[in-house]
Amino acid sequence: MKLSRRTLLVGTGAAAGLAVAWSLWPRGERASLAPTADALALGPGLLIGRDGQITVAVPQVETGQGIWTGLAQIAADELGAAWESIGVAPARSGSHWDNSLAEAEGWLAGARAWPNAPDPGLFRVTAGATSVRAMERPMRLAAAAARHLLIAEAASRWGVDAAECDTGGGFVRHEGKSLAFAALADGAAARTLPRGEIALRSAPGELVGKPLARLDALPKAEGRMRFAGDVRLPGLLHAAVRRAGAGSISIEGAPPRGIRFEQGEGWVAALADSWWAAEQALSAARVRVLGPAGGNDAAIIAALDAALGSDDFETLHGIGDIDEAFAGARPLAATYTAAAQLHSDLEPPSATARYKDGLLEIWAATQAPEFARRAAAEAAGVPLKSTILYPMPIGGQGGAALENVLVPIAAALAQRSGRPVQATASRTEQICSDAVRSPLAARLFARPLPDGSIAGWRMRVAGADSTAEAFARLLGSTAGGPRQYAVAPLPYRVSAVALEFAPAALPIRTGYHRGELHPALTFFTESFLDELARIGGRDPLSQRMSLLAGNLPLVRCLVRATALGGWDGGGLGSQMGLSVFSGYGSHIAVVAQAQVGPGGEVQVNRLVAAVDCGRVVNPALVKAEVEGGMLAAIAQASATAPSFRHGRVLAPLEPTLPTLAKAPETLVEVLAGDGPPGGASGLGSAAAPAAVGNALAAATGRRLRSLPFTPMS
């Protein structure tokens, strides 16, 4: 089957019709949806069919988090459309939908120094739980422009003041009269938008805040959703790939008949008419991958120890005078560690490229489409303006698709061969060359006082800011040190705080992961706080409540989670543990119930969470995000830690995926909030491992200070 942008349309709005493009707004910028012969310019980022069906251009990439539904819901609410008429399509390559938080959170601080930067859409990135936070206003403005023109046309026909009209359910309404959007589109398209910003609704319409059904649920259930590996083009060649990572790679031997071997900087590939034939040929060839001589487990531990004991660190968050807080007292101390973590995405990486008549087209699952487009153009030697990338849905939320390393390989092979090429990595290759979440080591110090307060808290973490490393590679530079957001501020009221980060010279490749470093860092913080509570004779809940004065969102979450979870005090043998986390503009509290099985394995029986994400667009999406994040995180926390040789993963060679057979009972409640929308994708993964660790300590009386949890006898 040939895959085109038209086959990517999802939902009931996937109908040809009148373009609600944006040739009029913002003026002079490229349309987000390609107009057709039947298309009329009405506003930015929408298509309205003659049958009333509406397609919304969505700039963010669907990774399973439901963002196509969430952003479409925002636009439909502002427009006043009927939900059953809504469908979505990825916004066109190069269209101007920058993620406003990409610079604010330190990801792309150096990108504006690029030659000819910023290009439209360069900062179009799906990561860090930013999609709703960054794109709510742009989506509302796009829909408001269309609403303005539809109302103006209806008011003109009725001879009434446009200010007296409103929209809802797919109609413009005025004192008992109504006109359908489809009936107004032609006339509205002939109108001109006023200069300046269109006024937004003063209050949500009929759709925001409702648990509406996902637009992609039925296409996925029926197998109609197209992913990167589903692309089929006439004359398509398949490529199996091996990559060097941080080292070098070479291939020896002649290929079998009908197979081609190709090499590039840091990669080798076999080309054939089927991927299996290419993979078999590559497996039979002698491929030599040479990485750093010290890129093994012992070297990683040595690098962390050296960084933790050095004076080369940066204070990312500081309050008061920590040295004065510790003066004359011996603070309590503990050392915690977290091993490297593999991505657990279900979909193997894949990218397809076609070079024909000077035009390079790319079909790829990537969370940074404009960076991938640049990489493809450079690899094929094609001007950027002659390169189009079609962002595909991503089969996994782990974060590996931020850097789609197969895009430039597919582009280079398509240019060399003169035929379309689909490059796909085997599961083993995917894991061996993975950009892992950084291993971490931390020393924590605290001075608790008799009344339960804490005079001083210091945490020094050694490792790498994996997110900064990934974005540095996208920029073609080196990471300049940890971002302030690499470590979340301590959520508790403590007089003196020092959260320090010591960069470690790790001989492995680290990269962006869902939840970033927060699952490990929250495990360190929340476990150590539990230790302090038990030393002081306090139960974990009262200890936290006494330190959360002034943090009303977390207090609400903690009170609700413990009520829902039937908190029993967390005493020895209770099997219950707590954790809290604030990040991405949101807050979460988790109650876990866990025990050690007869074979020493960790058994998580129940997870209960209460979440405050501010103003919620779709509570069903938030609930699913938190549930999925918790399940993925506890699967990782119970998995075997990866081992390394020459900078590549040596074992295990199977992804760690949560299964229904081992899934605990989960209960998530989304609390009503009136603040700005917060992010949800990293919340569950950040908080769940700490709650499980505290539950295991309560169940066994043994404090676990390492991730993943090792089998216990």
Side-chain angles (χ1 to χ4, degrees), residues 432-450:
C432 287
S433 59
D434 194 15
V436 299
R437 189 189 71 190
S438 173
L440 300 172
R443 288 180 183 157
L444 292 93
F445 305 87
R447 182 186 173 188
L449 300 177

Side-chain angles (χ1 to χ4, degrees), residues 247-444:
S248 62
I249 189 169
S250 62
I251 187 169
E252 299 176 4
R257 186 176 180 180
I259 307 290
R260 290 176 54 181
F261 287 163
E262 294 283 352
Q263 298 187 54
E265 185 177 352
W267 58 268
V268 299
L271 283 169
D273 290 330
S274 73
W275 179 82
W276 182 247
E279 177 64 22
Q280 290 297 101
L282 204 54
S283 298
R286 188 177 182 187
V287 177
R288 295 173 59 90
V289 180
L290 298 177
N296 54 33
D297 300 346
I300 293 170
I301 294 173
L304 292 174
D305 288 344
L308 202 56
S310 76
D311 293 328
D312 180 18
F313 64 88
E314 183 177 346
T315 300
L316 301 184
H317 302 282
I319 300 174
D321 190 329
I322 192 66
D323 293 328
E324 182 178 335
F326 287 163
R330 183 178 180 181
L332 299 177
T335 298
Y336 282 81
T337 62
Q341 179 177 293
L342 299 170
H343 286 102
S344 57
D345 293 342
L346 185 63
E347 177 189 28
S350 184
T352 302
R354 177 170 61 189
Y355 181 64
K356 185 177 180 180
D357 300 328
L359 177 66
L360 177 63
E361 296 175 283
I362 305 291
W363 289 260
T366 169
Q367 293 168 240
E370 289 308 304
F371 284 95
R373 187 167 74 104
R374 278 177 171 250
E378 183 178 343
V382 176
L384 186 63
K385 65 181 180 181
S386 301
T387 304
I388 298 176
L389 186 142
Y390 306 112
M392 305 293 291
I394 299 171
Q397 289 187 251
L402 181 70
E403 302 175 86
N404 192 322
V405 294
L406 296 185
V407 166
I409 297 175
L413 292 173
Q415 194 276 335
R416 293 182 193 180
S417 66
R419 292 172 61 179
V421 173
Q422 183 174 94
T424 303
S426 67
R427 180 68 78 186
T428 298
E429 172 61 20
Q430 175 189 16
I431 293 173
C432 287
S433 59
D434 194 15
V436 299
R437 189 189 71 190
S438 173
L440 300 172
R443 288 180 183 157
L444 292 93

